[in-house]
Each structure stands twice: as C-alpha cells, then as structure tokens.
Amino acid sequence: MLTVETDPAAAGLDATRLARLDARLARWVDEGQLPGFLVTVARHGDLVHVGSHGYRDVEAGLPVTPDTIWRIFSMTKPVTSVAAMSLYEEGAFELTDPISRWLPEFAEPRVYVAGPAAKPVTVPATEPIRIWHLLTHTSGLTYGFHHVHPVDAAYRAAGHEWGTPPGADSAAVSRQWAALPLVFQPGSEWNYGVSTDVLGRLVEVVAGKPLDEVFAERVLGPLGMTETSFGLRPDDDPALLARLYGPGLTPLAAFEKAAQQKPAFLSGGGGLVSTAGDYLRFVEMLRAGGATPDGGRVLGPRTVAHMVRNHIPGGADLETYGRPLFAETPLRGVGFGLGFSMVLDPARYGTVASVGDYSWGGAASTAFYVDPVEDLTVTFYTQLLPSSTLPIRGYLRSLVHQALL
C-alpha cells in the first residue's frame, strides 16, 4: 500500500506548490483527455506525495486506487536490463560478447540497404550484434509499429507490430526477428526496437530458466515486488487491471486480452503489469545504487552508475546519433545508457531537470525518473496509448522541480 512517509517540507518540498502537479494532471482527466492517473514523489528514500484522480475503468466508473494494476509496457525494459546486469556481475558474459554465442540464429545477420519490404536488398553485417548493442538499442533491430522503414513493414508482415504471433514463445520470436534484416549496421546508430526483448531471451538462455523465474529470483523477489508479473496471475482481481485507452478515451478492446493472463511470449521489452507501490520499490532500488530496503543488494552501486551514464559513441545525444522516430523520451539533449535514457543538457532538453536525471516510460504513458542530484524519484501511471498523445513527462519534471526548495 502507498503511504506518505514524510511531510514534504521535511524533505525540502513545498506542499502548496506540489499540489500544482495533481491539479495539472487532473485537468487532463476533467477535460476527457486522460482516463485517470496515479503519481508518486519520493525524496531521500521517503515517499512524500501520492496523487490520483479519475478512473481505471471509465465505462464502469471504477476509480484509480493504490492497488490498481497497470500495464507498464516498456517500463519492463529496465527490469530486464537489471536482470541481465546481475548476470554480468557474476561473470556470465562480457558486454562486448556477440549474442550469437547464446542465440545462434543471430550468427550471420543481414543489413538492409535498399528495396521493398517483401524483397529487400541486404549486405552482411560488418560486425556481430553484441550484448551492449541490445542494452543501448544500437543493434539495428526495430519495431513494426514505427511505420517508417521497409524493415518495419517486414516486421508487421511477419506478425510483429504491437504484439507477436499467437502461441510463439521467446525462442520462436527470437528466431523470427533474426530472420529479418537489420535497419543499420550494429553500433552505427540508435533505434528504439525489440533489442530488450532479444536481451530477455538471451537472459533466459544464460540463466537456463524462463524470464519470469529469472525476474523472481534476481529482481522481484529480493525487492518484495509481489504484485508484478507477466500478465495477471490466477489470484489477481481482473477488475483491478486498468483499462487501456487511445486518444479521445477510445477503449482499445483489441489489447484487453493481452494482459489478462500469462502469455506464451514473456516480453522483456514490454510484458509486465505492476502496481504503483510495487514499481516504486524497483525505482527506489535504482536511486539507492542497487540496494534493497532490507539491506540486501540487487546490483552493485558501480554497476548502476555504469548503466545510467551515456553510452552513445562520442557522448552524442539521441537526436544526433539516433533516428527521428518514436521513443519513450525526447531525443534532444538526451543520451542512452544500459537500459535508461539520461538528461545530458537540460537547456537542450527544454525542461527543468538535473544533468544525469535518468528515466524510461511505457507505451501507455506510464513513466518514471530518478534525479540523483536532488535524490528524488517520480513515478507516474495511466493507460493512454500512445505515450506521445499528451506531453505528460515534461510536465512531471517541471511541476515537481518547481516545488523543490
């Protein structure tokens, strides 16, 4: 359960000014642009603010509650990255290792150079896809829902847009992606895609067990995250799962079944559902440098620090090095590490923020960020797809930071 632990003033925040955050978010709800939301603000490890408004199910009149279950989509990616890095800390691999050592289907990747999706002209990759390419989204893999590149169309033709072919498990899905061309030579550009899903499959092979068991053993269990899973568990109340909406609060019925039960494909890139209280445990672990509330440890502090520094070659930002496509972050003034984006230049970013603030979000507009300068974490939950519908993430930073004293 989410319980405010510290008065905002004791943590250096003005409660009156912090109320502006809830008021601005609630305006979107009252205007019919957002179904409902829940937001948390914590500083120095103490929860100082919880705000909510609106409905988890507009049609049924069910309000947002602390135990609402949210589809967190790509906020699964940092969990997968942390699980992978926990294996790295045990010496299971080096970040520069080719992924074909564990996933032989990627032994001879081809790279698109011309032609239509059905008959692309390709050339051999000049270097293998390496583990750090997956962690940094520089592998050349893409998403079918981008609708920009011929390879995106090839993904859709193979059944990969907002989902994967019915019944295909992680091994089958990985082989299907490996059979498609890369968008560019590994390591040469940044492109948001299924890299973290492939990383999840690699983690399964390295650990010798399904991804949900790896998560339970290495992340969820140590953090006491009992309400996070791949789809609803048999004992979960389906009425607690927030309904998914598109712009104009149009219910997205086609997505409803996807999270109702454990799927065949355990998507390391977007398959988890969670509650605000549960995911806050994960975010606070990051803020604490890998430590758990009971004195245990998921990762070492230097590993976390390495993950949240910019790994884009030359220290470039994503606008310079990446493709101007959808991502769960603005691209100007933002770098990318091993599973997280980070603010490199707040002025170029265009929002009040600290240098080194790191974050990620989900396709249904969920988001979190950690500000190590202010020792602050913010998490936000709603169910509006796509996340580019409203400029929520910029408002989160500006409205929290204006309340800091």
Side-chain angles (χ1 to χ4, degrees):
M1 191 63 69
L2 288 170
T3 304
V4 172
E5 301 163 323
T6 300
D7 182 82
L13 288 110
D14 184 315
T16 301
R17 296 178 71 87
L18 195 56
R20 297 173 179 176
L21 172 65
D22 293 354
R24 181 63 190 88
L25 296 171
R27 194 188 315 166
W28 276 318
V29 176
D30 296 340
E31 291 171 350
Q33 298 187 71
L34 201 63
F37 72 86
L38 192 151
V39 63
T40 72
V41 180
R43 199 174 194 205
H44 309 314
D46 294 323
L47 187 61
V48 300
H49 179 78
V50 178
S52 65
H53 188 63
Y55 300 93
R56 67 178 187 265
D57 186 327
V58 174
E59 289 72 25
L62 298 175
V64 170
T65 53
D67 57 354
T68 294
I69 301 171
W70 309 94
R71 296 167 176 84
I72 62 170
F73 284 102
S74 287
M75 277 165 53
T76 306
K77 287 180 170 70
V79 180
T80 303
S81 300
V82 165
M85 293 304 290
S86 76
L87 288 164
Y88 167 80
E89 287 191 327
E90 295 175 2
F93 53 75
E94 290 190 291
L95 295 176
T96 53
D97 284 341
I99 67 172
S100 58
R101 176 177 169 186
W102 296 274
L103 305 177
E105 60 266 33
F106 285 97
E108 297 180 353
R110 306 283 299 185
V111 180
Y112 174 93
V113 291
K119 292 185 178 181
V121 178
T122 65
V123 297
T126 54
E127 75 160 290
I129 300 174
R130 305 180 188 278
I131 292 175
W132 79 268
H133 292 143
L134 297 180
L135 282 157
T136 57
H137 288 282
T138 57
S139 64
L141 295 161
T142 190
Y143 268 130
F145 62 70
H146 282 325
H147 289 258
V148 172
H149 195 279
V151 175
D152 305 341
Y155 272 55
R156 294 193 298 275
H160 299 272
E161 185 169 9
W162 286 102
T164 52
D169 63 8
S170 303
V173 168
S174 179
R175 290 192 296 268
Q176 290 165 10
W177 286 325
L180 297 170
L182 301 177
V183 177
F184 49 73
Q185 292 287 348
S188 66
E189 298 184 46
W190 187 92
N191 184 59
Y192 195 40
V194 298
S195 291
T196 316
D197 286 296
V198 175
L199 180 67
R201 173 58 187 158
L202 186 144
V203 164
E204 290 185 328
V205 176
V206 172
K209 58 189 67 175
L211 193 59
D212 58 343
E213 294 182 20
V214 178
F215 280 3
E217 179 182 292
R218 295 178 174 273
V219 184
L220 308 183
L223 288 171
M225 294 173 64
T226 60
E227 298 168 338
T228 303
S229 57
F230 284 102
L232 295 180
R233 300 161 299 179
D235 57 346
D236 285 330
D237 181 357
L240 290 175
L241 181 65
R243 196 170 187 187
L244 191 62
Y245 295 88
L249 299 192
T250 303
L252 300 179
F255 287 84
E256 284 303 312
K257 291 184 179 180
Q260 294 289 344
Q261 59 189 9
K262 182 179 175 180
F265 171 49
L266 304 181
S267 169
L272 291 177
V273 299
S274 188
T275 62
D278 236 32
Y279 202 82
L280 181 61
R281 291 173 175 266
F282 177 75
V283 176
E284 281 295 316
M285 176 274 295
L286 296 171
R287 182 200 61 82
T292 64
D294 62 1
R297 188 159 286 282
V298 173
L299 292 174
R302 287 161 184 80
T303 301
V304 175
H306 189 66
M307 294 176 75
V308 301
R309 62 168 51 102
N310 188 22
H311 286 249
I312 300 300
D317 68 2
L318 295 184
E319 185 174 70
T320 303
Y321 198 76
R323 296 195 165 215
L325 303 176
F326 170 88
E328 299 298 347
T329 178
L331 303 181
R332 298 185 312 277
V334 174
F336 203 85
L338 304 181
F340 306 88
S341 66
M342 66 287 307
V343 177
L344 304 177
D345 183 343
R348 184 162 164 75
Y349 181 54
T351 301
V352 175
S354 298
V355 173
D357 153 341
Y358 60 92
S359 63
W360 205 240
S365 302
T366 57
F368 78 89
Y369 73 90
V370 179
D371 185 332
V373 175
E374 300 292 350
D375 200 25
L376 176 81
T377 69
V378 177
T379 71
F380 175 81
Y381 308 87
T382 189
Q383 297 287 252
L384 180 68
L385 194 151
S387 60
S388 55
T389 306
L390 294 172
I392 294 167
R393 292 162 190 180
Y395 277 94
L396 286 176
R397 284 178 172 82
S398 61
L399 288 165
V400 172
H401 280 75
Q402 61 84 31
L404 285 165
L405 302 177

